[in-house]
Amino acid sequence: MIIYLKKVDSTNEFSKTLIDRGYKKCVILADIQTKGKGRLGRCWISNYGGLYFSIIDEPLYIYPILIPVCIIETLKLGRIKFPNDIIVKNKKLSGVLIENYKNRAIIGVGINVYNKVDLDTAISLKDLNIHYDKVEILKNFLNIYNKYLEKFKKKEIFKFKILRKYKRYSCSLNKNVKLILPNKTVFGRVVDIDFEGITLRTKNGLEKYPTGEIVHLRDDDTSMY
Ligand code: BTN
């Protein structure tokens, strides 16, 4: 079931109200969010023209890897910056916020379609001269998402195929990065990404972190050493 709203505070927050009312699986789509939420407590500016939706579904550990793969395959463009930003021309086209609430997952997706964005850091499909219908994007996304989930539920081993795709689409693998964590910053080279997080080769050896905010560094950046 798809619930369409002209305006809402946040489709993720509205999903919580629906879960309170007993909804187990549905999609909430909004034209405008007045309090769109981003990762790490940031806000997601959600003017008219962007695609903003949340999916309520069963909680699964594969979402942080699966969802960006579905976005890339829906739009047929972009690269994934860890953990799940979609980047085009070094700017953000789409973001994902996954929350857990009362034993349900809320998968929030924002895609810049023809909304006005901060041109220094973000980009929209319109800026790329690509004209998509928002509902068409959502329909295609849901088809791809449902197909992957069906395959994964039949055979858990299918997760490795999804992971291989994630790595192929990643622009963070094999990059020198600064990983910003709540209590520290770590410099290293991204040597792997999997369902448990990101592995960096640091000056102290291999270190693995479940998530975080990364900044890509230039290859000749010496802050690594
Ligand atoms: C990020 O990159 O920081 C995540 C952005 C996620 C935005 C989407 S828009 C639909 C859903 N509702 C929200 O309030 N946030 C997510």
Side-chain angles (χ1 to χ4, degrees):
M1 179 175 49
I2 300 183
I3 298 176
Y4 162 69
L5 304 161
K6 278 208 156 84
K7 199 187 231 185
V8 70
D9 54 352
S10 146
T11 54
N12 270 35
E13 285 308 302
F14 188 74
S15 300
K16 294 178 186 168
T17 315
L18 294 180
I19 294 170
D20 288 340
R21 290 191 207 148
Y23 282 72
K24 296 261 180 283
K25 200 172 165 118
C26 74
V27 178
I28 300 95
L29 165 70
D31 276 343
I32 294 171
Q33 297 184 118
T34 53
K35 275 191 190 164
K37 290 168 54 180
R39 285 178 65 240
L40 309 167
R42 290 192 283 242
C43 64
W44 182 262
I45 298 165
S46 310
N47 301 324
Y48 186 82
L51 173 60
Y52 315 111
F53 66 93
S54 300
I55 304 173
I56 300 176
D57 212 330
E58 65 182 283
L60 293 172
Y61 64 89
I62 57 164
Y63 293 136
I65 296 290
L66 172 65
I67 301 304
V69 168
C70 294
I71 299 173
I72 298 259
E73 296 194 347
T74 302
L75 302 177
K76 298 188 179 68
L77 58 96
R79 304 289 300 273
I80 306 169
K81 175 171 175 270
F82 179 83
N84 38 40
D85 287 351
I86 307 299
I87 303 293
V88 177
K89 294 186 175 174
N90 271 320
K91 294 178 180 181
K92 188 155 161 173
L93 176 69
S94 169
V96 179
L97 174 66
I98 301 165
E99 299 187 83
N100 287 307
Y101 182 74
K102 294 190 176 167
N103 206 28
R104 290 275 98 190
I106 302 168
I107 302 157
V109 177
I111 302 177
N112 298 322
V113 182
Y114 50 90
N115 50 309
K116 278 216 167 73
V117 295
D118 169 2
L119 294 175
D120 290 335
T121 57
I123 196 160
S124 70
L125 293 176
K126 184 164 176 265
D127 299 330
L128 294 163
N129 279 321
I130 301 173
H131 296 280
Y132 272 116
D133 180 76
K134 284 194 288 172
V135 177
E136 210 49 42
I137 298 175
L138 177 60
K139 275 205 285 191
N140 291 338
F141 175 92
L142 291 175
N143 279 338
I144 293 170
Y145 169 81
N146 286 323
K147 267 191 207 140
Y148 274 133
L149 274 190
E150 208 178 293
K151 288 190 178 158
F152 167 72
K153 283 178 191 169
K154 267 194 204 139
K155 271 198 180 150
E156 195 176 348
I157 195 143
F158 189 73
K159 68 181 179 187
F160 292 115
K161 188 160 182 182
I162 301 170
L163 183 59
R164 269 202 303 279
K165 289 195 170 195
Y166 178 101
K167 289 187 190 185
R168 201 183 309 145
Y169 303 148
S170 169
C171 59
S172 300
L173 260 180
N174 303 316
K175 283 263 170 67
N176 292 339
V177 299
K178 174 164 93 171
L179 177 71
I180 304 161
L181 300 163
N183 50 347
K184 62 173 176 174
T185 298
V186 186
F187 289 92
R189 191 170 185 86
V190 182
V191 291
D192 196 20
I193 298 173
D194 64 17
F195 295 97
E196 280 80 48
I198 189 166
T199 305
L200 302 186
R201 179 174 299 120
T202 73
K203 59 180 178 356
N204 304 319
L206 291 183
E207 295 180 12
K208 188 160 188 173
Y209 297 92
T211 190
E213 172 77 1
I214 65 169
V215 177
H216 292 161
L217 304 175
R218 283 176 32 182
D219 279 345
D220 57 358
D221 194 313
T222 51
S223 31
M224 290 273 297
Y225 309 102

